[in-house]
């Protein structure tokens, strides 16, 4: 027989200890209060916060939490007898966040976290702790906010052999590149605007240098391939070198520029990188603009699929955290990387020098005879074949003009060698901008 609403509400509540009451932590508390009726129904029992750990007890968070147990040391949540599930929303791969998660798992308590850095750097050891203590570790909110990226890859595609995984994994960078394309402004100007709007941190390096996206890609790749991918093996580039001129040239060529995280599996190992890429304007990934994220997976049976949505913010992230909590209440949990830890082994990384693809190369060159001949001779010597070339004297900067070269697919090592030799020419006045082309 099915239980009535009253029967469900009368069941023993699942008690949460929440570490971190910032944007997401406060958002979670408000969500659990405002949607208590549907959450109780879907979880099969009430869910309530019984204890919290945060630095400022007096801060107005939009909800009254004064009746809860407050811990000055977040790690104490792991030993609190009135806490069934520890929710870690502190962030960071080390320090209190790591100590709390490890302590909770050792105590046999389920953990829900939104901490992408922690999972990317210590995911293998945490998976083993989780298994050894029969303590679930769930992290839907660690990748792409409210997009169910983790469940899609780990559970929805569990029967398929995935060949690649990735997408637009950082909303800050996507907002900046979108605004640069639409307004013609340069990186520094748009970054300042993003900071004013709250889309970028005061120190934006984790976002704009690609580190945040690399954390998320590490998690997605580990799930997709059923093996922990080492964060240090991910090749990482940011968007600081991209100029408004590159967005203009990309449009002329029929592309848009996106910061992509991409991981591919082959018999030579896993190729994982975060870098700006040119993608054809007509493809779905090119249409994902502003602060939105998108995750693309490709499998042998499912083919290619894409999920899109808001990748950050209190609402989307709190919703993802709550979804994990409901799974725990229902007893619906799976191994951290979707497979038994006994089968886990380190993934072999494919060297960047072996990657293969087409490239966009923008140069700032002196406007004089023989320049193009010198550059094409270097490309020829390095075994790089040209597909097209664009030169716009009207875009002259000082005494130099921009020159854009698009190559046929070639080895990464050959392209990098050509780039270094071209940069050393006395007719080249600035560091060449090299961007990979991805044909989605």
């Amino acid at each position: 027989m099915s239980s009535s609403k009253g029967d469900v509400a009368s069941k023993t509540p699942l008690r949460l200890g929440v570490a971190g009451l910032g944007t997401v932590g406060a958002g979670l508390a408000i969500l659990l209060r405002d949607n208590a009726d549907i959450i109780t129904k879907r979880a099969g029992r009430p869910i309530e916060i019984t204890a919290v750990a945060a630095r400022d007890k007096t801060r107005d968070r939009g909800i009254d939490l004064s009746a809860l147990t407050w811990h000055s040391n977040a790690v104490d949540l792991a030993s609190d007898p009135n806490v069934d599930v520890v929710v870690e929303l502190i962030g960071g791969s080390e320090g209190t966040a790591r100590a709390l998660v490890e302590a909770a798992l050792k105590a046999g308590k389920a953990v829900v976290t939104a901490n992408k850095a922690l999972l990317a750097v210590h995911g293998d050891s945490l998976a083993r702790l989780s298994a050894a203590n029969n303590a679930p570790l769930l992290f839907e909110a660690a990748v792409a906010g409210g997009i169910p990226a983790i469940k899609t890859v780990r559970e929805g595609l569990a029967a398929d052999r995935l060949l690649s995984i990735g997408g637009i994994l950082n909303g800050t960078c996507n907002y900046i590149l979108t605004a640069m394309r639409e307004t013609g402004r340069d990186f520094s100007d748009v970054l300042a605007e993003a900071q004013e709007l709250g889309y970028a941190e005061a120190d934006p390096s984790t976002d704009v240098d690609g580190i945040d996206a690399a954390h998320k890609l590490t998690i997605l790749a580990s799930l997709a391939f059923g093996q922990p991918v080492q964060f240090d093996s991910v090749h990482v580039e940011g968007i600081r070198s991209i100029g408004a001129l590159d967005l203009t040239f990309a449009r002329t060529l029929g592309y848009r520029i996106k910061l992509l995280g991409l991981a591919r599996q082959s018999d030579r190992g896993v190729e994982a990188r975060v870098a700006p890429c040119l993608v054809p304007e007509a493809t779905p990934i090119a249409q994902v603009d502003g602060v939105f994220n998108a995750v693309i997976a490709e499998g042998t049976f499912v083919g290619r699929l894409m999920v899109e949505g808001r990748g950050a913010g209190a609402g989307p992230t709190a919703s993802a955290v709550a979804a994990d909590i409901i799974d725990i209440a229902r007893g619906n949990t799976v191994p951290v990387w979707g497979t038994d830890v006994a089968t886990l082994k380190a993934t072999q990384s494919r060297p960047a020098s072996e990657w293969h693809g087409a490239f966009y190369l923008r140069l700032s060159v002196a406007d004089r005879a023989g320049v193009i001949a010198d550059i094409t001779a270097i490309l020829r010597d390095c075994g790089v074949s040209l597909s097209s070339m664009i030169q716009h004297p009207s875009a002259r900067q000082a005494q130099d003009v921009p020159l854009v070269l698009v190559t046929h697919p070639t080895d990464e090592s050959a392209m990098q060698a050509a780039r270094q030799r071209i940069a050393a020419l006395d007719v080249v006045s600035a560091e060449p901008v090299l961007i990979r082309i991805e044909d989605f």
Side-chain angles (χ1 to χ4, degrees):
M1 293 178 61
S2 60
S3 300
S4 68
K5 182 176 179 180
D7 291 336
V8 171
S10 66
K11 289 185 177 180
T12 302
L14 184 70
R15 302 168 298 178
L16 310 180
V18 179
L21 289 174
T23 300
V24 177
L28 175 65
I30 293 170
L31 173 65
L32 293 175
R33 179 196 66 188
D34 292 354
N35 287 358
D37 55 343
I38 62 170
I39 289 173
T40 297
K41 183 177 180 180
R42 291 169 182 172
R45 60 194 290 196
I47 294 174
E48 61 183 35
I49 299 174
T50 55
V52 293
R55 283 178 290 190
D56 186 357
K57 192 173 182 178
T58 62
R59 177 183 163 193
D60 182 6
R61 295 176 171 87
I63 184 171
D64 183 10
L65 303 173
S66 60
L68 304 180
T69 299
W70 284 71
H71 291 282
S72 57
N73 182 358
V75 180
D76 291 341
L77 289 171
S79 57
D80 188 326
N82 293 314
V83 169
D84 303 312
V85 178
V86 169
V87 181
E88 185 274 304
L89 302 173
I90 301 170
S93 63
E94 307 298 336
T96 302
R98 180 183 180 186
L100 170 60
V101 171
E102 290 179 343
L105 294 175
K106 289 175 182 177
K109 292 187 177 182
V111 173
V112 174
T113 179
N115 193 335
K116 50 192 171 286
L118 181 67
L119 269 297
V121 177
H122 300 295
D124 188 16
S125 62
L126 293 176
R128 297 181 189 280
L129 267 182
S130 171
N133 295 281
N134 195 29
L137 172 60
L138 301 182
F139 46 93
E140 183 63 62
V143 177
I147 304 173
I150 302 301
K151 287 181 173 63
T152 297
V153 175
R154 185 176 58 195
E155 290 131 72
L157 301 176
D160 210 347
R161 187 182 304 276
L162 296 187
L163 306 174
S164 64
I165 191 76
I168 296 172
L169 304 177
N170 184 272
T172 299
C173 289
N174 203 38
Y175 172 83
I176 291 172
L177 291 172
T178 299
M180 289 174 65
R181 185 189 79 239
E182 292 178 345
T183 67
R185 290 178 293 160
D186 257 318
F187 170 80
S188 58
D189 185 23
V190 177
L191 172 60
E193 177 186 81
Q195 289 171 319
E196 290 177 5
L197 294 173
Y199 295 150
E201 302 288 343
D203 178 3
S205 56
T206 299
D207 291 318
V208 301
D209 292 332
I211 299 168
D212 174 81
H215 284 145
K216 297 170 184 174
L217 181 65
T218 301
I219 295 170
L220 287 174
S222 298
L223 290 168
F225 308 137
Q227 304 290 347
V229 172
Q230 302 301 310
F231 173 69
D232 291 343
S233 71
V234 180
H235 176 83
V236 185
E237 299 175 28
I239 64 170
R240 293 183 192 267
S241 66
I242 306 300
L245 202 54
D246 296 307
L247 280 298
T248 300
F249 277 122
R251 181 185 292 112
T252 300
L253 292 164
Y255 293 95
R256 290 185 178 180
I257 299 176
K258 299 292 182 181
L259 182 75
L260 298 182
L262 292 171
R264 295 187 175 98
Q265 190 173 44
S266 70
D267 55 4
R268 298 294 302 275
V270 173
E271 167 192 329
R273 72 172 185 266
V274 171
C277 296
L278 269 73
V279 295
E281 280 186 321
T283 56
I285 196 77
Q287 307 305 314
V288 180
D289 283 336
V291 296
F292 279 70
N293 283 195
V295 174
I296 293 180
E298 184 172 5
T300 54
F301 278 77
V302 75
R304 181 173 293 167
L305 61 85
M306 185 178 91
V307 289
E308 174 190 357
R310 291 189 178 275
T317 308
S319 177
V321 171
D324 279 343
I325 296 169
I326 291 171
D327 275 345
I328 291 170
R330 283 288 190 187
N332 300 332
T333 59
V334 294
V336 172
W337 300 126
T339 186
D340 192 278
V341 293
T343 69
L344 298 179
K345 59 183 179 180
T347 302
Q348 180 181 355
S349 299
R350 187 181 181 193
S353 60
E354 296 183 2
W355 300 348
H356 194 80
F359 291 85
Y360 159 105
L361 179 67
R362 177 171 62 83
L363 308 170
S364 184
V365 301
D367 188 11
R368 64 181 193 232
V371 170
I372 293 177
D374 291 343
I375 292 169
T376 55
I378 291 175
L379 293 171
R380 178 201 63 210
D381 293 346
C382 292
V384 178
S385 173
L386 275 181
S387 171
S388 62
M389 178 175 61
I390 303 176
Q391 186 177 19
H392 280 325
S394 60
R396 180 186 299 274
Q397 297 176 327
Q399 300 301 310
D400 299 318
V401 294
L403 174 67
V404 168
L405 309 173
V406 177
T407 77
H408 288 294
T410 188
D411 290 337
E412 178 91 14
S413 56
M415 195 66 227
Q416 292 293 352
R419 177 191 191 182
Q420 291 178 7
R421 288 182 57 183
I422 291 171
L425 294 173
D426 60 3
V427 295
V428 176
S429 61
E431 184 67 22
V433 174
L434 184 65
I435 308 176
R436 292 157 192 84
I437 299 174
E438 286 292 337
D439 188 10
F440 275 94

